[in-house]
């Protein structure tokens, strides 16, 4: 008994609140019998009944605690389920937003690529149009330069002081053509003038000449005409260089002759009369450039009425009338074949061929020393 009381005292010290707690309402599983038993028990079973009462009380309290805990847990579970449902709805909404954004991004990317391709196509079309316009403009520029070169040639070969009657036949009237030099003051002078003029004003035999096309030369010209070029490697120009251009522009001063030939081929040579301009300071030596009384190309003492410049060098070389005739004949030939190359000549192939032959003959005559008096 002593031990039981000691044990109960220890339990009461450990859990003082539980031992004296009494439920307000009886639980479902609790019974009234132990309590009646505690009241009716005798003095011998007092300790045992007290212990049973404490156990029953503990059981009832634990059951109540479990019920309250389960109710609390249910409420928390219900809250958590509600929150999960809300989060699921939010995730579903966000996933829809993400899918919509991805779709819009794909559409935007496709539209951007399409716009970029469209801009590239438009840029390519504009570039092609600009290149076409540039090509046409360059063609027009080349045509204008060719016309300017032709005008320069006309100006070079004909001056107001000494016009070229062959290039400008409109300057003389048919009735006064034979009197273009001097004035008839008496019979002797007038008859002499008429005789001299009749010899000078008779280019008519050219039209009465008998001509026959050389098949080899004509074939070479036809093959060159199909794709005109200024390259010396073609058979047509190679023959002319060997037979006409080379000998015509071959002067005593070999170094200067090569420079003149290159300038004629590149269309950078300029001829100007000396009398119409003031004499400029000669940059080169007098021996190389000649002077009014010495030809720079032949090195012979001749009266030089013209001088030439090669490109942008700025050096002036005085040339004799014979050398000028040879250079002018070569320039006329190159000018004409440039016109053919640029498509400016609208004639029959045979007429163009005979014009080339005429220019070749002029080069040959100039090489042999024949030149008009106007020079």
């Amino acid at each position: 008994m002593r031990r039981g009381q000691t044990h109960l005292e220890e339990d009461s010290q450990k859990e003082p609140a539980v031992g004296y707690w009494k439920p307000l309402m009886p639980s479902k599983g609790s019974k009234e019998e132990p309590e009646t038993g505690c009241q009716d028990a005798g003095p011998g079973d007092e300790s045992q009944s007290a212990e049973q009462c404490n156990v029953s009380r503990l059981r009832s309290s634990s059951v109540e605690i479990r019920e309250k805990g389960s109710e609390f847990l249910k409420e928390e579970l219900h809250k958590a389920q509600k929150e999960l449902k809300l989060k699921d709805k939010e995730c579903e909404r966000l996933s829809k937003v993400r899918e919509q954004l991805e779709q819009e991004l794909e559409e935007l990317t496709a539209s951007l690529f399409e716009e970029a391709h469209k801009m590239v196509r438009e840029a390519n079309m504009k570039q092609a149009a600009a290149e076409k316009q540039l090509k046409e403009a360059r063609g027009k520029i080349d045509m204008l330069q060719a016309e300017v070169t032709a005008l320069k040639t006309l100006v070079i070969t004909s001056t107001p002081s000494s016009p070229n009657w062959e290039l400008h036949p409109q300057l003389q009237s048919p009735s006064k053509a034979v009197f273009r030099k001097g004035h008839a003051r008496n019979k002797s002078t007038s008859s002499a003038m008429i005789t001299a003029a009749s010899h000078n004003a008779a280019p008519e035999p050219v039209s009465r000449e008998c001509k026959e096309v050389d098949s080899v030369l004509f074939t070479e010209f036809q093959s060159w005409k199909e794709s005109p070029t200024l390259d010396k490697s073609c058979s047509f120009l190679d023959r002319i260089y060997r037979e006409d251009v080379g000998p015509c522009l071959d002067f005593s001063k070999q170094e200067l002759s090569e420079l003149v030939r290159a300038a004629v081929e590149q269309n950078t040579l300029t001829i100007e009369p000396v009398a119409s301009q003031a004499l400029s300071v000669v940059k080169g030596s007098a021996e190389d450039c000649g002077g009014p009384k010495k030809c720079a190309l032949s090195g012979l003492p001749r009266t030089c009425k013209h001088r030439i410049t090669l490109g942008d060098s700025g050096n002036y070389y005085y040339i004799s009338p014979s050398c000028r005739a040879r250079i002018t004949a070569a320039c006329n030939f190159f000018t004409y074949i440039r016109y053919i190359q640029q498509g400016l000549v609208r004639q029959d192939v045979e007429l163009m061929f005979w014009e080339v032959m005429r220019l070749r003959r002029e080069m040959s005559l100039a090489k042999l020393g024949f030149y008009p008096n106007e020079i």
Side-chain angles (χ1 to χ4, degrees):
M1 290 295 291
R2 195 70 176 170
R3 289 179 182 177
Q5 291 178 359
T6 305
H7 183 67
L8 288 173
E9 288 176 0
E10 289 177 358
D11 292 338
S12 63
Q13 288 177 0
K14 290 179 181 178
E15 297 178 1
V18 178
Y20 293 96
W21 180 77
K22 187 175 182 179
L24 297 176
M25 294 179 64
S27 60
K28 296 179 180 180
S30 64
K31 298 181 180 180
E32 298 281 336
E33 293 178 0
E35 190 171 353
T36 58
C38 291
Q39 293 177 359
D40 297 337
D45 299 330
E46 184 178 355
S47 60
Q48 187 175 1
S49 61
E51 184 176 358
Q52 290 177 355
C53 289
N54 291 331
V55 170
S56 63
R57 289 172 183 172
L58 288 172
R59 287 177 180 175
S60 62
S61 63
S62 64
V63 170
E64 188 174 0
I65 289 170
R66 285 176 185 173
E67 290 177 355
K68 290 184 177 180
S70 63
E71 291 177 359
F72 176 78
L73 291 175
K74 286 180 181 179
E75 291 177 358
E76 292 295 328
L77 179 61
H78 187 63
K79 289 181 181 178
Q81 288 177 349
K82 284 185 177 180
E83 291 179 357
L84 284 174
K85 287 182 180 179
L86 292 174
K87 292 193 178 200
D88 288 337
K89 290 182 180 179
E90 185 70 15
C91 290
E92 188 174 347
R93 186 181 68 82
L94 291 176
S95 64
K96 289 182 179 179
V97 171
R98 185 187 65 183
E99 291 176 358
Q100 185 178 1
L101 288 176
E102 289 178 352
Q103 185 177 1
E104 291 178 357
L105 181 61
E106 290 178 358
E107 292 176 357
L108 180 62
T109 304
S111 63
L112 286 175
F113 273 107
E114 185 177 359
E115 189 69 22
H117 286 304
K118 184 178 178 181
M119 292 174 65
V120 169
R121 285 195 301 270
E122 291 178 356
N124 290 335
M125 292 174 62
K126 289 181 180 179
Q127 183 179 1
E131 290 178 353
K132 183 179 179 181
Q133 291 179 357
L134 179 61
K135 188 176 181 180
E136 292 177 356
R138 285 179 176 174
K140 291 181 180 178
I141 290 172
D142 292 338
M143 187 181 300
L144 292 174
Q145 287 180 348
E147 292 177 359
V148 169
T149 304
L151 291 175
K152 284 183 178 180
T153 304
L154 293 177
V155 171
I156 289 170
T157 57
S158 178
T159 59
S161 60
S162 58
N164 192 331
W165 304 106
E166 294 180 1
L167 294 175
H168 304 283
Q170 70 277 9
L171 296 179
Q172 56 180 343
S173 61
S175 60
K176 298 181 180 179
V178 295
F179 297 101
R180 67 172 182 262
K181 287 185 182 267
H183 300 278
R185 298 189 179 182
N186 50 47
K187 289 185 177 181
S188 60
T189 55
S190 61
S191 61
M193 291 290 296
I194 291 172
T195 305
S198 62
H199 289 292
N200 291 332
E204 305 299 331
V206 177
S207 61
R208 293 196 297 267
E209 287 181 343
C210 297
K211 296 185 296 186
E212 183 178 355
V213 176
D214 184 273
S215 59
V216 177
L217 298 179
F218 189 69
T219 303
E220 292 178 352
F221 177 74
Q222 279 184 320
S223 61
W224 175 82
K225 179 65 176 59
E226 292 177 358
S227 58
T229 179
L230 298 179
D231 189 8
K232 303 177 186 178
S233 59
C234 65
S235 59
F236 170 68
L237 289 181
D238 179 64
R239 179 188 296 273
I240 296 177
Y241 267 95
R242 286 186 290 103
E243 297 179 358
D244 301 308
V245 176
C248 184
L249 298 179
D250 185 16
F251 301 99
S252 301
K253 304 293 183 179
Q254 292 296 325
E255 185 176 356
L256 184 57
S257 298
E258 294 177 359
L259 296 176
V260 169
R261 185 183 305 172
V264 170
E265 294 173 0
Q266 298 169 7
N267 199 22
T268 58
L269 184 141
T270 304
I271 304 178
E272 60 183 21
V274 177
S276 63
Q277 296 183 2
L279 293 177
S280 302
V281 178
V282 179
K283 295 183 179 180
S285 62
E287 183 179 356
D288 294 336
C289 299
K293 297 296 182 180
K294 183 179 180 181
C295 179
L297 289 171
S298 64
L300 301 174
R302 295 288 186 272
T303 301
C304 301
K305 298 180 181 180
H306 295 84
R307 60 184 181 180
I308 60 173
T309 56
L310 307 178
D312 299 330
S313 62
N315 291 335
Y316 291 97
Y317 301 94
Y318 292 85
I319 57 174
S320 63
S322 175
C323 295
R324 177 182 178 266
R326 294 165 65 174
I327 295 174
T328 303
C331 290
N332 291 338
F333 168 75
F334 279 102
T335 301
Y336 188 71
I337 63 171
R338 286 193 191 96
Y339 283 175
I340 297 177
Q341 183 193 18
Q342 296 166 6
L344 301 177
V345 182
R346 307 290 183 180
Q347 289 181 340
D348 185 65
V349 179
E350 187 173 352
L351 293 177
M352 287 189 284
F353 171 76
W354 282 116
E355 180 63 20
V356 171
M357 296 300 105
R358 186 187 68 80
L359 294 172
R360 291 186 62 182
R361 184 174 64 176
E362 286 186 0
M363 286 190 286
S364 299
L365 291 175
K367 168 61 180 174
L368 297 174
F370 296 97
Y371 59 91
N373 291 333
E374 288 81 7
I375 296 180

